[in-house]
Amino acid sequence: FRNQSMSLVITVRVIYSFYGRNVKYLVLKDINPNSTFLELKTIIQTNIQETPAFSRLPKKKFDTLKIYSLPHRFKTNNLVINLEDDGSLYPKDDQTLIELAIENETELSYFVLTEYQQFKLNPEVKW
């Protein structure tokens, strides 16, 4: 990460259903790159609770973030989630976004880990 004082714009793909391709986008602006993973999850959860577009969707206990794509790099062919590199699942809440290699304009997927693990066993969509 080149400029640690620069704020980030991060797109979060909130995944409600892997099989039904039910994804809602959340664009976060002015995110501090020195924020921790836990702070980012808190920001995301707060935005989901306060954004009217999310209010009519089912309530879920999202618990996992994974990089969907980094800017100016390869993007996955899967329209729901990047099935590659499960090493980019981030369980450590005290790591900073810089340590996690999250850059400006990174796309993240936010989902329920158990649903992802089930989908990965049979990654076929229903429509």
Side-chain angles (χ1 to χ4, degrees), residues 62-80:
F62 299 102
D63 57 8
T64 306
L65 278 169
K66 182 179 182 181
I67 292 177
Y68 180 74
S69 68
L70 293 167
H72 315 295
R73 296 199 183 103
F74 169 78
K75 289 194 176 193
T76 181
N77 288 331
N78 189 300
L79 299 175
V80 179

Side-chain angles (χ1 to χ4, degrees), residues 23-41:
V23 178
K24 191 83 176 156
Y25 291 87
L26 177 65
V27 178
L28 303 175
K29 299 177 182 176
D30 298 323
I31 301 298
N32 183 339
N34 293 305
S35 299
T36 64
F37 175 63
L38 179 60
E39 291 168 337
L40 180 62
K41 285 196 317 190

